[in-house]
């Protein structure tokens, strides 16, 4: 885990931009990674989710160009990718640069006056950890484009939500990852010391106070270092199953199936695998509501119980966990965590646990020991606080 401060990264990305493009950038913008406290695989089902923004951010040093070309480079990779904006497609430019090019493509398709950019990015968000490094990349560039082309989309909640929607289009249509809208909404709309209650059907949001310090607890994130990818077909298969179920049940999204009607809905579905997927989504949406209530009453023991139930559902009904995630969450619980669950799309990535502050180091060490015993790659554990959304840094 990088320990570089934001000021250090701003300085380094500015210098790298000058080296790559021969002049100083107009500015530096950044957007955070995210941890979803609860509400997994509910976003594309019209449901509820509850993310926080991480202190770990992706930084983009950016300047406008006088033409319609994008040049993009990264402190983590060699070379510069160049593409004409009119040529951007699901095939072009390909690779990680598609997440950047897709943002400009989506803004232009929306009828906004957006031209070319020179972009250099650097990040402290762990790649492949299920902490939404891709949305952090998209939203840092989207924030820059909004400011540099005078779109004004960072100046209101509605504008930020509009910008988040364009970033979702970029990821879905150009980068080829069929994600929902939670990650981009978190990067653009979360607030410090708060979780974002996001209604993915209406688009409504509400800040929910989330500050564990007063209870003597912390949120421990463990990057399992297990391979994590959303473009290998598994994520899309889960989404397809949910859409198939919604059609069979005669509803627009699974949000319309309430817990009280779940048994009847499941009885109308023929496929046992599809029934499991539906059961997870419906119960997970209800767990989000219960978590918000428990946070409001200061009942962290109940939040922990809901974390545990969420992980079991993701493991057994949605089948998106993996051995590393199960070992990490189980070890955290055995060593005193109030609750633990995988976070993100699954198939690898990270888990989160609510632990007493005095126990955090011991829990992290226990997870590391358990991984060593299993012969897994060593994990990286760190504590996080709810942090600020995308903004200009310089």
């Amino acid at each position: 885990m990088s320990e570089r401060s934001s000021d250090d990264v701003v300085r380094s990305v500015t210098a790298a931009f000058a080296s790559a493009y021969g002049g100083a950038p107009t500015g530096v913008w950044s957007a955070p990674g995210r941890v979803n406290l609860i509400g997994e695989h509910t976003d594309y089902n019209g449901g509820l989710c509850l993310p926080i923004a991480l202190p770990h951010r992706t930084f983009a040093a950016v300047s406008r160009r006088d033409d319609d070309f994008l040049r993009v480079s990264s402190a983590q990779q060699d070379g510069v990718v160049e593409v004409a904006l009119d040529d951007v497609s699901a095939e072009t430019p390909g690779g990680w640069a598609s997440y950047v090019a897709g943002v400009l493509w989506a803004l232009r398709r929306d009828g906004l006056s957006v031209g070319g950019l020179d972009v250099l990015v650097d990040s402290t968000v762990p790649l492949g950890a299920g902490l939404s490094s891709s949305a952090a990349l998209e939203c840092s560039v989207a924030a820059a484009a909004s400011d540099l082309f005078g779109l004004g989309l960072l100046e209101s909640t509605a504008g930020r939500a509009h910008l988040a929607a364009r970033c979702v289009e970029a990821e879905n249509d150009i980068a080829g990852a069929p994600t929902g809208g939670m990650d981009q909404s978190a990067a653009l709309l979360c607030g410090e010391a708060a979780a974002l209650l996001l209604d993915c059907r209406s688009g409504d949001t509400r800040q929910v106070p989330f500050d564990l310090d007063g209870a003597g607890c912390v949120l421990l994130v463990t990057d399992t270092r297990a391979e994590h990818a959303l473009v290998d077909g598994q994520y899309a298969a889960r989404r397809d199953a949910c859409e198939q179920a919604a059609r069979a049940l005669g509803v627009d999204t699974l949000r319309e199936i309430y817990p009280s009607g779940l048994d009847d809905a499941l009885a109308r579905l023929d496929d046992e695998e599809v029934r499991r997927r539906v059961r997870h989504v419906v119960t997970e949406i209800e767990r989000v509501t219960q978590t918000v209530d428990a946070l409001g009453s200061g009942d962290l023991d109940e939040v922990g119980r809901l974390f545990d139930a969420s992980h079991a559902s993701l493991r057994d009904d949605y089948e998106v966990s993996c051995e590393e995630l199960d070992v990490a969450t189980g070890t955290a619980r055995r060593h005193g965590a109030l609750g633990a669950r995988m976070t993100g799309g699954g198939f690898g990535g990270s888990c989160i646990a609510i632990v007493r502050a005095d126990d955090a180091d011991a829990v992290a060490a226990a997870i590391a020991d358990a991984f060593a015993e299993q012969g897994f790659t060593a994990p990286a554990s760190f504590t996080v606080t709810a942090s600020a959304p995308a903004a200009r840094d310089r």
Side-chain angles (χ1 to χ4, degrees), residues 34-44 48-51 132 135 168 179-188 190 196 198 200 343-345:
R34 66 95 189 93
V35 154
N36 189 28
L37 296 181
I38 200 161
E40 223 66 76
H41 290 275
T42 57
D43 52 354
Y44 54 81
L48 303 171
C49 49
L50 193 68
S132 199
V168 174
T179 57
M182 174 185 64
D183 297 346
Q184 294 80 4
S185 294
L188 282 157
C190 278
L196 183 77
L198 172 63
C200 298
T343 188

Side-chain angles (χ1 to χ4, degrees), residues 63-342:
S63 287
R64 283 183 60 165
R65 295 176 56 86
D66 294 330
D67 55 27
D68 285 342
F69 278 81
L70 168 68
R71 292 192 297 179
V72 59
S73 56
S74 168
Q76 278 72 46
Q77 299 192 35
D78 294 330
V80 176
V81 177
E82 181 173 326
V83 62
L85 296 183
D86 286 343
D87 293 338
V88 174
S89 69
E91 293 77 34
T92 304
W96 73 272
S98 289
Y99 292 92
V100 178
V103 170
L104 302 186
W105 169 87
L107 292 170
R108 286 161 66 93
R109 192 178 72 161
D110 197 37
L112 298 171
S113 181
V114 173
L117 295 174
D118 285 337
V119 179
L120 192 140
V121 298
D122 194 357
S123 186
T124 63
V125 183
L127 300 178
L131 303 178
S132 199
S133 57
S134 58
L137 172 60
E138 294 155 4
C139 294
S140 64
V141 174
S146 177
D147 284 350
L148 289 173
F149 294 105
L151 306 182
L153 295 174
L154 296 180
E155 297 170 9
S156 68
T157 298
R160 284 174 173 264
H162 187 88
L163 199 56
R166 304 291 79 74
C167 291
V168 174
E169 291 174 358
E171 186 148 343
N172 290 175
D173 298 341
I174 303 302
T179 57
M182 174 185 64
D183 297 346
Q184 294 80 4
S185 294
L188 282 157
L189 291 164
C190 278
E192 293 188 70
L196 183 77
L197 178 59
L198 172 63
D199 185 325
C200 298
R201 179 171 60 184
S202 68
D204 292 342
T205 59
R206 176 162 67 89
Q207 302 291 335
V208 176
F210 183 74
D211 187 354
L212 300 179
D213 287 349
C217 292
V218 295
L219 189 70
L220 181 71
V221 178
T222 297
D223 176 3
T224 66
R225 304 285 176 83
E227 184 177 350
H228 169 84
L230 298 184
V231 292
D232 63 358
Q234 292 291 335
Y235 186 103
R238 302 306 188 278
R239 185 167 184 163
D240 287 346
C242 292
E243 293 172 352
Q244 172 189 332
R247 287 193 296 271
L249 295 170
V251 294
D252 290 334
T253 69
L254 295 181
R255 174 72 179 280
E256 295 168 55
I257 306 299
Y258 294 97
S260 60
L262 177 58
D263 288 344
D264 288 343
L266 297 180
R268 294 166 56 195
L269 298 171
D270 297 330
D271 188 289
E272 174 57 28
E273 180 178 286
V274 172
R275 284 197 290 268
R276 292 199 304 271
R277 306 298 187 247
V278 172
R279 182 165 55 230
H280 164 72
V281 171
V282 174
T283 59
E284 183 79 347
I285 292 170
E286 179 65 11
R287 282 188 287 271
V288 177
T289 299
Q290 293 170 343
T291 298
V292 171
D293 291 343
L295 286 172
S297 63
D299 188 351
L300 291 184
D301 288 330
E302 175 66 3
V303 175
R305 186 195 70 76
L306 291 162
F307 273 26
D308 292 345
S310 174
H311 185 80
S313 181
L314 287 158
R315 181 192 63 214
D316 300 335
D317 279 345
Y318 224 65
E319 297 180 283
V320 292
S321 189
C322 65
E323 192 172 2
E324 290 90 341
L325 287 166
D326 293 341
V327 168
T329 54
T331 302
R333 290 187 205 100
R334 286 193 299 275
H335 287 80
L338 278 64
R341 60 179 294 275
M342 58 155 282

Side-chain angles (χ1 to χ4, degrees), residues 370-383:
F371 271 47
E373 290 173 5
Q374 295 291 328
F376 298 154
T377 300
S381 295
F382 48 96
T383 60

